[in-house]
Amino acid sequence: AAGVIQSPRHLIKEKRETATLKCYPIPRHDTVYWYQQGPGQDPQFLISFYEKMQSDKGSIPDRFSAQQFSDYHSELNMSSLELGDSALYFCASSSLPGQTNYGYTFGSGTRLTVV
Amino acid sequence: SQQGEEDPQALSIQEGENATMNCSYKTSINNLQWYRQNSGRGLVHLILIRSNEREKHSGRLRVTLDTSKKSSSLLITASRAADTASYFCAAGIFGNEKLTFGTGTRLTIIP
């Protein structure tokens, strides 16, 4: 079965550069969530989209932006990167009412390292 | 504020023993989910228990939910070396689609 696809798997950027992370949800899933997980930390919710509209926003810095496209894939754009942005970035997808019965499906994540 | 807080933060047991991890949360929930994460890898959904359920089983996993105490437990029976991972609980909250994760329990199974 198709899973949530994230690209790239690894990314190394220098401070003040820009990064774009991509997420391709499971087919027919209409909701995408982005999470950030720092080293040894729990995943922190960043932002979510439902039917291409932002549905919720968490602790996402103003330097970050995201959108969901007509094919439901989502991109997280990160500008003016800082060392503290180094983390695992996860994308998850779900569909109502599935999320209340079956949980969310996470991608394998993108490991961003800012040097 | 964190919704899910795991207890203990780290647990080491012998292979074959049972492992129990606890989770507490703060507000009313729609469901409580448990995820596993191998080091540096993705989060794998293990089991979901709805707020109107008290116990659920899936293979070697048993989850309980006590909404009066706002707590849940995950029991892994007959542990295996492959169960070594971090385990997170995550609260699905009414009227809010996002999951709020706890800090996780690092489980180590000693062969």
Side-chain angles (χ1 to χ4, degrees):
Chain A
V4 177
I5 307 298
Q6 288 188 249
S7 67
R9 290 294 303 275
H10 303 275
L11 189 59
I12 299 175
K13 290 285 186 178
E14 294 188 353
K15 283 193 303 184
R16 293 179 288 278
E17 283 193 319
T18 298
T20 297
L21 280 54
K22 297 184 179 182
C23 170
Y24 296 86
I26 289 174
R28 291 183 293 281
H29 278 194
D30 49 23
T31 308
V32 169
Y33 311 82
W34 285 97
Y35 286 81
Q36 176 192 58
Q37 186 180 29
Q41 304 295 312
D42 56 291
Q44 293 289 324
F45 172 73
L46 292 177
I47 195 167
S48 63
F49 293 87
Y50 169 69
E51 284 291 343
K52 294 156 278 185
M53 298 287 289
Q54 180 181 309
S55 56
D56 200 356
K57 195 171 182 180
S59 50
I60 182 170
D62 292 339
R63 299 177 288 108
F64 294 6
S65 65
Q67 56 181 325
Q68 187 179 31
F69 295 84
S70 58
D71 63 351
Y72 293 101
H73 94 273
S74 178
E75 294 183 4
L76 177 65
N77 298 293
M78 308 158 70
S79 62
S80 303
L81 287 169
E82 302 174 355
L83 295 178
D85 296 329
S86 295
L88 269 171
Y89 290 84
F90 290 107
C91 168
S93 74
S94 71
S95 64
L96 290 171
Q99 67 194 40
T100 63
N101 294 312
Y102 306 117
Y104 299 71
T105 303
F106 282 82
S108 298
T110 293
R111 180 173 292 282
L112 172 67
T113 303
V114 181
V115 297
Chain B
S1 61
Q2 265 177 264
Q3 280 294 332
E5 296 184 7
E6 272 87 347
D7 165 40
Q9 291 196 346
L11 178 63
S12 293
I13 61 173
Q14 293 290 136
E15 192 169 21
E17 293 182 337
N18 296 340
T20 300
M21 289 160 274
N22 303 299
C23 167
S24 61
Y25 56 92
K26 295 178 181 176
T27 62
S28 295
I29 60 169
N30 183 28
N31 61 68
L32 197 288
Q33 305 179 29
W34 286 88
Y35 289 81
R36 183 184 73 204
Q37 184 180 36
N38 290 83
S39 180
R41 307 291 289 274
L43 291 153
V44 176
H45 178 259
L46 294 176
I47 196 167
L48 179 154
I49 186 165
R50 287 189 287 268
S51 59
N52 61 352
E53 297 176 313
R54 292 296 167 259
E55 188 172 312
K56 200 164 184 178
H57 297 255
S58 176
R60 294 184 296 114
L61 305 179
R62 173 178 170 254
V63 170
T64 63
L65 180 65
D66 187 334
T67 53
S68 66
K69 295 181 180 178
K70 291 187 167 55
S71 67
S72 173
S73 67
L74 171 67
L75 168 67
I76 303 175
T77 60
S79 62
R80 305 168 182 169
D83 295 329
T84 294
S86 290
Y87 291 81
F88 293 89
C89 72
I93 301 168
F94 283 111
N96 194 326
E97 297 171 357
K98 71 186 183 194
L99 288 179
T100 305
F101 284 86
T103 50
T105 293
R106 174 69 187 167
L107 175 65
T108 302
I109 307 300
I110 303 167

